Amino acid sequence: MQRRINIWSSIDWLTVTIYLVLVFLGWINIYAAVYNEDHQSILDFSQRYGKQLIWISAALVIAFIVFVIDINFYSYFAYIFYGILIVVLIGVLIFGKEIHGARSWYELGNIRIQPAEFAKIATALALARYLTSYNLQINTVKSYVRIAAIILIPSVLILMQNDTGSALVYFAFIFVLYREGISESIILLGLFVIILFILALVIDTLIIILLSIGVVFIIFWFLNRKIKHTGIAFIVLLFASSAIYGLNEVLNAGLSYYYILLISLGISGLVYIILAISYKIKNVALLLIFLIGSIAFTYSVDYVFNNFLEQHQQKRINVVLGLESDPYGVEYNVNQSKIAIGSGGLTGKGFLRGTQTKFDFVPEQSTDFIFCTIGEEWGFLGTLFVVLLFIFFLYRLIGLAERQRSSFSRIYGYGVVSVFLFHIVINIGMTIGLVPVIGIPLPFFSYGGSSLWAFTILLFIFLRLDASRLELLQ
Amino acid sequence: MDSFANRRHIIRFIIILIGLIFTIKLFILQVVDSSYKLTASSNVLRYVTQFPARGLIYDRNGELLVYNEATYDLMVVPNQLMPFDTTEFCQILNLKKEYVQEAIKRARKFSIYNSSVFLKQVSSRTYANLQEKLYKYPGFYVQARTLRKYPSDIGAHLLGYVGEVNEKIIEKDDYYKSGDYIGISGIEQSYEEYIRGKKGVNVYLVDVHNRIKGTYANGRLDKQAVVGSNIISTIDADLQAYGEKLMKNKIGSIVAIEPSSGEILAIVSTPSYNPELLVGRKRTENYVDLMSDSLKPLFNRALMAQYPPGSTFKVINALIGLQEKVLFPYTKYDCEGAYYAGRLRVGCHFHKTPLNLIESIQMSCNTYYCNVFRSILDNRKYPSIRESFDLWREYVMSFGFGTYLNSDFSNELKGLVPTKQTYDKIYGERGWRSLTLISMAIGQGELGTTPLQMANMTAAIANRGFYYIPHSVKEIEGDHVLDNRFFEKQYTKIDSNYFELAIEGMDLAVNGEAGTGSTARTAQISNITVCGKTGTAENPHGEDHSIFIAFAPKEKPEIAIAVYIENGGFGGTWAAPTAKLMIEEYLNDSISVPWWEEYILNAEINYNNAEKD
Ligand SMILES: [Zn+2]
């Protein structure tokens, strides 16, 4: 049964108000960031704040259009949107304009559009559509593969544009999957892969192999709860490695520790399998596969890093991981950013009174580092207000998502939450030195039409779904 | 059935946790930690870039070729300016009021918060005066820079010059900021990456009176500048200076190479200019003057002038003939003062006849080489001239002609060795024969070679079949190594045993008895066996160009040299004695017959009417 209701009265005005406040705060901080005695008119369209005013007006029109479109439109065309965005993402690799080393922009006359911003919306829709397919079992290999494809295809395409930040956003959809019941072990496995990836670049392979072995022993004990089995397994490995080590010394074969360890692992692995079969111990094969997988993964990360990445890409990753210093680049920006925010003190220097942010010391002042301006001019009270507002905004969105009767709306709602959460955490986190510098915009604050429009569409589709929540059945 | 609804609490918990972490971190950053605070609003940070001194350049024997001199740029930050006494200010700096207004306006336009250059290259003396009174002029400060200085005025083309970076470079390379210097030509350009060092930055706290109060945050944000690496060039400064002296009042070029290493000992291009002209505030003005000079002093003839190789090329054709087994040491051809084929006539000069191979080089017989060249191209072994021509071309290119030598000069040209297509276009695919190309038999016609390539060819002959890529830098100080390509033997396609015959001919050309028809006796040195070959490049615009290539000593060559003197006529007249003097200077450090030196120094060859070209 469907009831027609007035969508204007059922729209969540609280969220709309937060949206408007955020956009307004964003704009006045862009004004402050590029403020300059020579250009004081707020309507100076040669300046960024003038342009942003145009983007904001357009965003409001877009929000209105998004809101009046029929509700079924979004779920019905979810896959088609997704398909179109994939084509557009491939297109930008070929026809795109390269700016600051990233080939991720379409240039239409004076306007530049960054399709990666919009791909998030299409992915959130497609994911919601897929997860609401008839009779879907989420915890099956088939589903995993399809979900991974939906999320990773746009991510990889964006990575190829050299826009690492926007590509990483897609990992945020893990929250959606978590909420929708994906197995915890998959989440843990995912976390393990990420940690392994970072470790593979940071520390010696030998230590990683040892750590992986440790992890596997712990899981084995955890699954079987038999200290005896774990002990025997450990002794087998110890025995095998001492034997190989001894042989190596006696024969003077000159094997490196890697090989000694790998060979003893191979031998112990055979012993484990024999023991597992004769005593009917579970999970052994699975754990061995896991271990081999981890080792192979570690080696391939190293190999890909050294053989496929270009020097500047290697350098970027090394800087992010703190293995290499780059005084004129990333490191410098973070220092500048922290100085700007720190110099704001409790109450800030006052609107337009910032000095650090106006010296252009922090590049990308009005885009990725806009939070510095807030910190410097409005102080701790200002940043606290913005952080709380964002937290409240996310909290509110979860509330809205949970009150949906249709799974599609709820899942999409969590997609929206995930994307915003990731952007907020990474952007603010990098300006205060908590996370590595990954260039992605702060929603509604950062200068730029593409990101503002994309965030607006992302949010208002959800508000549209929410406004009609009573029309939709489960 | 939504059985995972409880998971929303976990997600909410994560969000709250993140909010908490951010709040704590912000509280520490903004309220607790006072090190980030700049209490008084009058306090500002000043970022002063530390420009490292560029590396010095030495010659192969450690003689200094380029060093640095301190200078100061006066910088301005427009929004820190206060009204000041312009009269006194102008007096100190010896400026006009209009300049001050103009410069501040320009700086304001660039950025009112960032510093920009107000006045470039203030001398040390002015700086001393200014320093005492700088406190009266908030918004101004001084930045130390260095300028290039040259102990002697040699090697302008080789060393190159330094200039300000342009927009294009700034856009392409993050390292450079507006106002930075970069090597624009010569060694300064090719080895810029090493010579420039690495910029540093100092962060200072500055008070309202424009005084530096100290380093900011205990210098945690400072970056030490790294001084540029010194460069040891392969050049022999004495030889270079001598070469430039000999070439005064002449247009042309000398390139001398050490055959056993490919190291360039001297590289002269005249007319040249004093390298000091392209340094300092007058740089732009002088540059424009040099650019508009009709003698083109900025044009590096050694790398960029392409002339036909003339008769020197007969050596190459002889070697190709030997390798292809269409020419033998005993092969003799008659010469009746010219080569005739149908209506075609290639003139020769008077000499005895017939000649064998060695004699043909000694006496430089045109007829002989028309015959050799035709026997190479009309070789029955190959189906048509298309194949034999390609083969000939490959041999020629194996000496480094018609291709970039890949030296460490960025502006070397590759010269010209025509292809089949060149002739197809003119004559049609079946329209050309060996006779059509006959002028290349004696090194004229479509061939174009640079003096560097000619010196390199000479080095390949001296080495009996291989060369090292010519290069101008021997060593970069610090942990840097030269590119491996400079240490790899580049083999020609000619077997080494054939070279002895050609070298015998070159020996006789210089050292043959008087009256035997030797063409290069003007290059004789009493105690050194010089092997050489004269050449004359046909010049459609005027007097022919005089060419001479030589190496010495014959058995263990230490120097290979090519000399070009534009409008100098026959190679034996001017180019050969010049080469002889260079070789003697390098090997003996003294000149045995000063008369020759006078002869060359006093010669003024077509220097003033060169504009007619
Ligand atoms: Zn003759």
Side-chain angles (χ1 to χ4, degrees):
Chain A
M1 193 198 85
Q2 281 203 357
R3 282 184 293 163
R4 276 275 153 210
I5 42 167
N6 181 354
I7 51 167
W8 296 108
S9 62
S10 56
I11 186 169
D12 186 55
W13 287 106
L14 178 58
T15 311
V16 174
T17 308
I18 300 173
Y19 166 79
L20 291 173
V21 171
L22 287 170
V23 169
F24 174 71
L25 290 180
W27 182 78
I28 62 169
N29 280 296
I30 290 169
Y31 180 73
V34 294
Y35 172 78
N36 170 325
E37 280 153 18
D38 297 344
H39 304 270
Q40 293 183 337
S41 159
I42 59 161
L43 290 174
D44 187 339
F45 296 117
S46 71
Q47 296 293 305
R48 286 194 156 184
Y49 46 82
K51 286 186 189 150
Q52 184 74 357
L53 213 50
I54 300 175
W55 310 144
I56 292 173
S57 315
L60 295 178
V61 175
I62 290 170
F64 179 81
I65 295 168
V66 167
F67 207 72
V68 295
I69 288 172
D70 187 84
I71 181 150
N72 293 316
F73 177 78
Y74 299 111
S75 60
Y76 193 78
F77 288 106
Y79 287 154
I80 294 177
F81 289 144
Y82 183 78
I84 291 171
L85 253 305
I86 295 296
V87 172
V88 171
L89 285 178
I90 294 169
V92 84
L93 284 172
I94 304 161
F95 308 109
K97 179 162 173 68
E98 195 169 311
I99 296 171
H100 298 312
R103 184 181 289 280
S104 51
W105 302 81
Y106 276 112
E107 199 166 45
L108 307 162
N110 282 334
I111 303 173
R112 290 183 188 145
I113 305 262
Q114 193 177 13
E117 295 292 348
F118 298 94
K120 295 166 209 164
I121 308 167
T123 309
L125 285 170
L127 190 61
R129 171 78 186 269
Y130 179 71
L131 291 177
T132 48
S133 315
Y134 180 69
N135 232 347
L136 178 87
Q137 297 286 318
I138 190 169
N139 284 311
T140 59
V141 173
K142 193 177 107 186
S143 301
Y144 288 161
V145 170
R146 293 194 178 172
I147 290 168
I150 289 174
I151 295 175
L152 291 180
I153 289 171
S155 177
V156 168
L157 287 173
I158 293 167
L159 199 62
M160 285 162 69
Q161 298 166 10
N162 219 350
D163 183 359
T164 323
S166 299
L168 291 176
V169 173
Y170 289 80
F171 285 98
F173 285 114
I174 199 94
F175 284 106
V176 179
L177 302 177
Y178 176 68
R179 172 61 184 85
E180 291 311 310
I182 204 164
S183 155
E184 269 126 343
S185 38
I186 291 291
I187 306 271
L188 289 176
L189 189 69
L191 278 178
F192 182 75
V193 168
I194 291 168
I195 292 169
L196 204 60
F197 177 81
I198 295 168
L199 289 183
L201 296 177
V202 177
I203 58 177
D204 194 81
T205 319
L206 187 70
I207 299 172
I208 297 177
I209 297 172
L210 286 171
L211 282 178
S212 312
I213 294 170
V215 168
V216 167
F217 273 120
I218 291 167
I219 300 174
F220 180 62
W221 175 78
F222 196 78
L223 293 175
N224 295 321
R225 304 270 172 177
K226 282 195 178 129
I227 201 87
K228 195 177 131 198
H229 287 173
T230 317
I232 290 171
F234 186 70
I235 289 164
V236 168
L237 182 62
L238 207 61
F239 186 77
S241 28
S242 352
I244 302 287
Y245 181 79
L247 267 177
N248 181 44
E249 290 294 302
V250 171
L251 297 177
N252 219 347
L255 288 177
S256 71
Y257 288 130
Y258 298 97
Y259 286 110
I260 294 176
L261 192 60
L262 288 178
I263 292 168
S264 18
L265 259 186
I267 295 168
S268 326
L270 286 175
V271 177
Y272 295 155
I273 288 171
I274 294 164
L275 288 174
I277 293 168
S278 19
Y279 293 96
K280 295 204 166 52
I281 304 166
K282 282 182 216 157
N283 298 325
V284 171
L286 209 64
L287 285 172
L288 279 174
I289 289 169
F290 174 76
L291 186 59
I292 293 165
S294 320
I295 293 169
F297 181 75
T298 308
Y299 274 105
S300 52
V301 167
D302 262 355
Y303 186 78
V304 167
F305 185 82
N306 291 323
N307 294 288
F308 287 92
L309 293 189
E310 284 169 34
Q311 210 163 11
H312 71 269
Q313 291 169 319
Q314 293 183 0
K315 182 170 174 176
R316 239 186 110 96
I317 293 174
N318 281 339
V319 167
V320 168
L321 294 176
L323 299 175
E324 206 179 315
S325 100
D326 177 19
Y328 286 100
V330 177
E331 220 179 283
Y332 190 74
N333 294 354
V334 173
N335 264 323
Q336 292 306 336
S337 160
K338 282 162 83 174
I339 291 170
I341 294 173
S343 72
L346 181 66
T347 53
K349 295 174 183 166
F351 184 49
L352 301 183
R353 294 264 176 79
T355 52
Q356 295 307 302
T357 50
K358 293 209 185 58
F359 276 94
D360 297 346
F361 287 154
V362 186
E364 313 297 330
Q365 187 54 61
S366 55
T367 55
D368 292 350
F369 282 88
I370 189 73
F371 196 73
C372 298
T373 310
I374 307 172
E376 189 184 13
E377 299 197 343
W378 303 97
F380 177 64
L381 297 180
T383 51
L384 183 66
F385 179 73
V386 171
V387 168
L388 289 183
L389 196 59
F390 269 125
I391 298 296
F392 182 68
F393 175 68
L394 292 172
Y395 216 79
R396 179 70 191 164
L397 289 181
I398 291 178
L400 297 189
E402 289 296 341
R403 77 182 184 187
Q404 302 305 313
R405 290 157 70 185
S406 126
S407 317
F408 178 83
S409 303
R410 182 186 66 236
I411 297 169
Y412 178 75
Y414 268 97
V416 175
V417 171
S418 310
V419 171
F420 280 126
L421 178 63
F422 188 85
H423 274 268
I424 293 163
V425 170
I426 298 297
N427 183 286
I428 297 181
M430 83 179 174
T431 58
I432 57 181
L434 281 179
V435 300
V437 172
I438 297 166
I440 56 172
L442 184 61
F444 312 126
F445 274 78
S446 292
Y447 169 79
S450 287
S451 75
L452 177 63
W453 296 345
F455 287 128
T456 301
I457 296 170
L458 185 72
L459 178 65
F460 277 82
I461 290 176
F462 181 49
L463 291 181
R464 176 71 188 90
L465 295 173
D466 175 64
S468 298
R469 65 189 178 278
L470 298 175
E471 287 174 36
L472 294 165
L473 294 177
Q474 297 256 343
Chain B
M1 185 59 205
D2 185 3
S3 50
F4 295 98
N6 283 335
R7 287 187 171 182
R8 68 170 181 251
H9 299 305
I10 306 269
I11 296 174
R12 278 187 161 146
F13 173 74
I14 292 173
I15 290 173
I16 300 287
L17 191 68
I18 288 166
L20 204 63
I21 293 171
F22 278 10
T23 306
I24 293 168
K25 175 76 188 184
L26 282 167
F27 188 73
I28 293 171
L29 200 63
Q30 298 187 282
V31 182
V32 179
D33 188 346
S34 62
S35 75
Y36 288 113
K37 223 150 299 157
L38 303 163
T39 41
S41 60
S42 55
N43 273 355
V44 278
L45 295 183
R46 178 183 296 157
Y47 286 64
V48 181
T49 308
Q50 302 298 313
F51 292 98
R54 283 179 82 80
L56 310 181
I57 305 177
Y58 296 93
D59 93 328
R60 65 190 292 116
N61 302 315
E63 194 173 314
L64 194 58
L65 296 175
V66 186
Y67 66 102
N68 299 306
E69 186 188 57
T71 173
Y72 304 88
D73 283 357
L74 185 59
M75 311 293 287
V76 63
V77 185
N79 77 329
Q80 292 174 20
L81 285 175
M82 304 269 181
F84 60 90
D85 178 358
T86 38
T87 321
E88 192 199 32
F89 187 72
C90 290
Q91 224 163 31
I92 300 169
L93 294 169
N94 193 16
L95 290 175
K96 290 206 178 85
K97 264 189 185 164
E98 292 77 46
Y99 177 87
V100 176
Q101 282 160 0
E102 202 48 46
I104 291 179
K105 213 160 126 194
R106 201 175 49 216
R108 203 173 260 287
K109 211 166 162 194
F110 169 71
S111 162
I112 64 167
Y113 306 106
N114 286 319
S115 57
S116 54
V117 178
F118 174 81
L119 183 64
K120 264 185 228 170
Q121 293 151 14
V122 178
S123 71
S124 312
R125 180 139 32 108
T126 313
Y127 169 66
N129 288 336
L130 180 66
Q131 182 69 348
E132 294 165 20
K133 299 191 174 130
L134 204 59
Y135 72 93
K136 290 188 191 167
Y137 309 107
F140 286 103
Y141 71 96
V142 168
Q143 180 138 48
R145 301 295 294 262
T146 54
L147 284 182
R148 291 307 234 180
K149 287 290 271 181
Y150 304 86
S152 55
D153 62 357
I154 57 164
H157 289 292
L158 165 84
L159 299 167
Y161 59 95
V162 173
E164 243 173 77
V165 289
N166 58 29
E167 279 307 313
K168 239 188 189 160
I169 299 168
I170 295 172
E171 223 164 82
K172 229 171 51 192
D173 190 336
D174 282 349
Y175 179 82
Y176 299 100
K177 302 276 178 289
S178 177
D180 285 1
Y181 294 138
I182 188 172
I184 294 183
S185 68
I187 292 179
E188 298 272 21
Q189 182 196 27
S190 304
Y191 293 88
E192 163 74 11
E193 202 187 323
Y194 306 101
I195 299 181
R196 73 180 179 200
K198 213 168 172 191
K199 282 185 289 187
V201 65
N202 282 359
V203 189
Y204 298 114
L205 276 171
V206 181
D207 70 6
V208 271
H209 302 298
N210 199 30
R211 281 186 288 241
I212 288 179
K213 284 173 67 185
T215 56
Y216 177 66
N218 293 325
R220 253 189 295 148
L221 299 178
D222 293 0
K223 295 288 164 196
Q224 226 44 61
V226 180
V227 178
S229 301
N230 294 342
I231 299 279
I232 296 164
S233 162
T234 60
I235 295 298
D236 183 314
D238 295 340
L239 188 65
Q240 177 75 23
Y242 191 61
E244 290 188 17
K245 188 167 129 192
L246 292 176
M247 289 297 281
K248 282 255 159 65
N249 303 324
K250 301 165 195 71
I251 303 170
S253 177
I254 302 176
V255 179
I257 295 177
E258 182 178 71
S260 61
S261 63
E263 291 174 2
I264 296 174
L265 301 170
I267 182 161
V268 179
S269 170
T270 49
S272 183
Y273 59 93
N274 187 334
E276 296 273 5
L277 287 176
L278 294 184
V279 176
R281 267 196 257 172
K282 295 236 172 215
R283 196 181 88 80
T284 320
E285 205 179 303
N286 290 334
Y287 185 79
V288 172
D289 284 354
L290 289 170
M291 273 302 273
S292 53
D293 189 328
S294 64
L295 294 175
K296 296 193 205 151
L298 289 174
F299 182 62
N300 190 348
R301 288 175 163 77
L303 308 177
M304 301 173 76
Q306 308 185 53
Y307 316 86
S311 297
T312 60
F313 199 69
K314 287 172 185 166
V315 180
I316 302 297
N317 276 332
L319 290 167
I320 298 172
L322 288 165
Q323 181 75 27
E324 279 295 297
K325 301 217 162 31
V326 293
L327 175 66
F328 301 92
Y330 49 80
T331 308
K332 287 193 174 190
Y333 290 111
D334 283 326
C335 173
E336 304 299 342
Y339 176 76
Y340 298 96
R343 280 188 297 159
L344 184 116
R345 177 183 180 276
V346 178
C348 191
H349 52 96
F350 174 75
H351 55 75
K352 72 170 197 176
T353 182
L355 300 177
N356 67 17
L357 172 59
I358 290 174
E359 290 165 335
S360 77
I361 294 176
Q362 177 192 3
M363 298 174 203
S364 194
C365 173
N366 287 347
T367 309
Y368 195 93
Y369 284 93
C370 290
N371 285 310
V372 170
F373 189 61
R374 290 195 69 186
S375 65
I376 296 169
L377 292 187
D378 297 337
N379 190 347
R380 290 284 175 80
K381 222 162 83 188
Y382 305 106
S384 76
I385 189 169
R386 305 187 70 79
E387 286 73 24
S388 53
F389 175 76
D390 268 347
L391 195 78
W392 174 83
R393 187 167 183 274
E394 265 175 47
Y395 279 120
V396 172
M397 288 181 70
S398 75
F399 283 85
F401 294 122
T403 169
Y404 295 110
L405 281 173
N406 218 354
S407 73
D408 51 3
F409 297 109
S410 62
N411 52 344
E412 61 164 300
L413 290 187
K414 61 184 201 174
L416 201 75
V417 178
T419 60
K420 282 186 300 210
Q421 286 75 24
T422 316
Y423 297 106
D424 289 351
K425 245 183 236 160
I426 308 172
Y427 305 104
E429 265 187 47
R430 296 175 160 278
W432 51 280
R433 300 171 295 143
S434 56
L435 261 182
T436 323
L437 319 184
I438 199 73
S439 52
M440 290 198 295
I442 53 170
Q444 309 291 356
E446 293 80 5
L447 289 167
T449 58
T450 65
L452 179 69
Q453 285 173 324
M454 291 295 278
N456 181 59
M457 167 192 90
T458 313
I461 297 169
N463 285 337
R464 278 81 171 161
F466 66 87
Y467 64 89
Y468 289 100
I469 296 175
H471 51 283
S472 60
V473 165
K474 204 174 164 69
E475 196 185 323
I476 307 165
E477 284 184 0
D479 292 331
H480 309 293
V481 280
L482 278 191
D483 197 288
N484 214 22
R485 68 177 193 275
F486 298 130
F487 303 107
E488 284 162 4
K489 282 183 186 177
Q490 313 287 323
Y491 284 95
T492 63
K493 290 181 176 292
I494 309 286
D495 295 344
S496 68
N497 55 311
Y498 295 123
F499 281 88
E500 293 303 340
L501 290 160
I503 288 169
E504 214 48 56
M506 289 170 72
D507 179 357
L508 280 176
V510 177
N511 302 309
E513 297 284 318
T516 55
S518 299
T519 46
R521 299 192 67 239
T522 48
Q524 267 180 33
I525 305 173
S526 55
N527 59 349
I528 300 167
T529 315
V530 176
C531 301
K533 179 77 196 76
T534 54
T536 309
E538 281 176 2
N539 175 14
H541 308 290
E543 183 78 25
D544 290 345
H545 304 318
S546 176
I547 312 173
F548 188 67
I549 61 159
F551 65 87
K554 184 182 180 187
E555 290 316 323
K556 222 170 165 288
E558 289 174 43
I559 180 170
I561 191 167
V563 177
Y564 270 80
I565 294 176
E566 288 191 15
N567 314 111
F570 171 62
T573 322
W574 299 110
T578 305
K580 175 250 292 280
L581 290 167
M582 288 290 282
I583 292 171
E584 211 179 357
E585 164 71 23
Y586 182 66
L587 296 179
N588 287 353
D589 268 331
S590 65
I591 303 303
S592 54
V593 189
W595 181 84
W596 278 113
E597 191 178 285
E598 303 264 306
Y599 165 77
I600 297 295
L601 286 177
N602 293 334
E604 190 170 302
I605 300 167
N606 215 22
Y607 193 69
N608 293 320
N609 2 333
E611 258 172 278
K612 278 186 285 179
D613 278 17

